[in-house]
Amino acid sequence: MNILLTGGAGYIGSHTAVVLVQAGHKIVIYDNFCNSSKPTIDNLESVVKQKVSVVEGDIRNTSLLAQTLKQFSIDAVIHFAGLKAVGESVQEPLNYYENNVQGTLSLLRAMNELCVKNIVFSSSATVYGDPQYLPIDEAHPLAPTNPYGRTKLHIEQILEDQTKADIDFKVVNLRYFNPVGAHASGLLGENPKGTPNNLTPFIARVASGDLQELNIFGNDYPTEDGTGVRDYIHVEDLADGHVAALNFLSHTVGFETFNLGTGNGCSVLQMIVAYKKASGKKIPYRIVSKRPGDIASCYAAPTKANQILKWKAGRTLQEMCESSWAFQQYLKNSHPVSANTQ
Ligand code: NAD
Ligand code: UD1
């Protein structure tokens, strides 16, 4: 298939690009590089050992999107492009609605014009809000607690409405849990701008000596060791989930949602132990107060994806930490790059 990857230069998109090329698909990356960098494309090409088509553009540019869909005879779109920082979305909600929701409407307009009827959407477990029960299945009530999460829910609803209006329009809606780790080559991974907000990139920088210590946000949660529990999933497993989603799209109708997670909860302290083992480095930490809005535990029931998509996240926590550490070493040894995601 000819597949357009909006946001394909980003963290999850670049890993997915690799597995799609390896599965024999032709890909086109459409990205405005607002949260990624061009050297990522060079590294991607080194990994897949071939040139990759890239269009630099914004998803809000409907005519450029339409032109791209036509030029490359696109059969399906995987829609990664979006802004994703929760804190920033609270400060700048209009930018988030404009980029994520308006951007998706623009994409759908272009797809409609060119009769492209297949889309896989990058949603998030954040749409569930505070878990009412665990593990979280796809039927769990939806109550996002921040503007970022609400943009994801709005987009899900828009996509579902469109499948009702047009019986040929098909959507696989993927709700990711916590993607971590990096590509086995050590060339692709996540490298956030400034001080990382998320746990694993923060630990990676502590292990490499760039940051002094990790602040653990609370140790009196009702979890086994008192620290927050999440469902960390290796980004390469997540990438494989997109190939499975595309296969499913070809013999389905309407709108279908799948959780992509491992089903296993891992605490902050467990992550520190695993990362220490992977890197051979000390991870100094101290306990500080809880982060506002944080929840105790969140992990997926991935049964639906396991059964229907015939996909399962198989890589271990150790592999997640080892690959993250290998990428951290690569960043340290390579020449500094101009943007954040390499
Ligand atoms: P990322 O920031 O690394 O990648 C997103 C890409 O989209 C970037 O390359 C960015 O430049 C591009 N982009 C953003 N706005 C654009 C626009 N208007 N036009 C064109 N390109 C644009 O993020 P990621 O971690 O790879 O996430 C991919 C998707 O998955 C996002 O939609 C995100 O919300 C979702 N998601 C991510 C996580 C996570 O923890 N990483 C979890 C759940 C869901
Ligand atoms: C964050 C996002 C969420 C997104 C998810 C997936 C927030 C509020 N939420 O959630 O929308 O879907 O990532 O990537 O940003 N922790 C520390 N110290 C740190 C960083 C984190 O102790 O410096 C703890 C947190 O309290 C939490 C766990 O580590 O218990 C994971 O945190 P994080 O990586 O930020 O992910 P989420 O909180 O799940």
Side-chain angles (χ1 to χ4, degrees):
M1 275 203 276
N2 297 334
I3 301 158
L4 185 80
L5 276 59
T6 72
Y11 173 46
I12 302 169
S14 58
H15 288 80
T16 304
V18 173
V19 290
L20 290 171
V21 171
Q22 288 168 348
H25 295 292
K26 282 204 174 134
I27 62 159
V28 180
I29 287 176
Y30 186 99
D31 203 302
N32 66 359
F33 295 96
C34 71
N35 198 37
S36 49
S37 70
K38 297 200 176 139
T40 297
I41 304 294
D42 300 333
N43 288 2
L44 170 60
E45 291 179 338
S46 304
V47 173
V48 298
K49 297 185 181 65
Q50 58 182 268
K51 281 277 173 204
V52 169
S53 303
V54 178
V55 175
E56 184 169 355
D58 196 293
I59 50 168
R60 288 162 292 183
N61 185 342
T62 316
S63 57
L64 181 59
L65 272 170
Q67 192 187 312
T68 307
L69 293 173
K70 189 173 178 185
Q71 182 187 343
F72 294 95
S73 305
I74 295 297
D75 303 301
V77 175
I78 307 184
H79 182 29
F80 298 103
L83 301 177
K84 61 166 184 177
V86 173
E88 188 181 68
S89 80
V90 175
Q91 304 301 321
E92 306 164 12
L94 301 186
N95 285 345
Y96 272 68
Y97 284 103
E98 193 174 285
N99 195 81
N100 295 2
V101 180
Q102 199 171 308
T104 303
L105 286 172
S106 160
L107 171 65
L108 294 175
R109 286 274 180 219
M111 289 173 68
N112 207 32
E113 193 183 319
L114 272 297
C115 288
V116 178
K117 307 276 188 179
N118 300 301
I119 184 167
V120 176
F121 175 57
S122 296
S123 189
S124 167
T126 198
V127 296
Y128 295 118
D130 289 351
Q132 295 184 11
Y133 58 83
L134 290 166
I136 299 177
D137 60 19
E138 290 82 356
H140 186 285
L142 304 175
T145 56
N146 54 67
Y148 163 67
R150 283 188 279 276
T151 68
K152 290 292 174 189
L153 184 52
H154 280 301
I155 296 166
E156 288 192 3
Q157 291 165 336
I158 291 166
L159 290 169
E160 186 166 15
D161 283 343
Q162 183 62 6
T163 60
K164 288 175 184 157
D166 177 354
I167 52 158
D168 296 325
F169 188 73
K170 300 190 280 187
V171 180
V172 174
N173 178 42
L174 300 177
R175 293 184 183 143
Y176 311 150
F177 279 68
N178 290 53
V180 296
H183 191 260
S185 63
L187 291 174
L188 301 170
E190 189 182 25
N191 181 26
K193 244 180 245 166
T195 308
N197 292 314
N198 295 117
L199 181 64
T200 319
F202 201 110
I203 292 180
R205 293 208 189 158
V206 173
S208 70
D210 295 343
L211 292 170
Q212 268 190 339
E213 62 180 2
L214 170 73
N215 290 326
I216 297 184
F217 299 140
N219 67 346
D220 59 353
Y221 280 110
T223 61
E224 219 166 281
D225 61 27
T227 64
V229 165
R230 297 291 184 275
D231 186 339
Y232 298 100
I233 173 170
H234 196 301
V235 66
E236 289 200 74
D237 279 330
L238 194 64
D240 291 339
H242 294 76
V243 180
L246 277 175
N247 292 340
F248 175 76
L249 257 187
S250 61
H251 57 266
T252 189
V253 289
F255 178 94
E256 205 66 62
T257 294
F258 296 96
N259 283 341
L260 294 187
T262 64
N264 304 318
C266 165
S267 73
V268 177
L269 288 173
Q270 286 169 331
M271 181 60 93
I272 291 173
V273 170
Y275 213 99
K276 200 174 157 191
K277 192 173 164 201
S279 62
K281 301 286 180 189
K282 288 194 176 123
I283 319 280
Y285 65 82
R286 66 188 174 115
I287 310 295
V288 300
S289 46
K290 287 176 180 164
R291 182 169 65 179
D294 258 2
I295 50 176
S297 293
C298 173
Y299 49 93
T303 329
K304 186 177 172 192
N306 297 162
Q307 291 175 351
I308 298 177
L309 296 182
K310 298 181 178 43
W311 163 91
K312 199 171 183 350
R315 291 169 176 90
T316 62
L317 183 64
Q318 212 51 47
E319 289 172 280
M320 300 177 207
C321 296
E322 282 163 11
S323 61
S324 159
W325 179 239
F327 181 64
Q328 194 63 29
Q329 306 283 92
Y330 161 76
L331 288 176
K332 208 140 198 167
N333 297 331
S334 65
H335 297 294
V337 289
S338 53
N340 66 319
T341 304
Q342 162 83 5

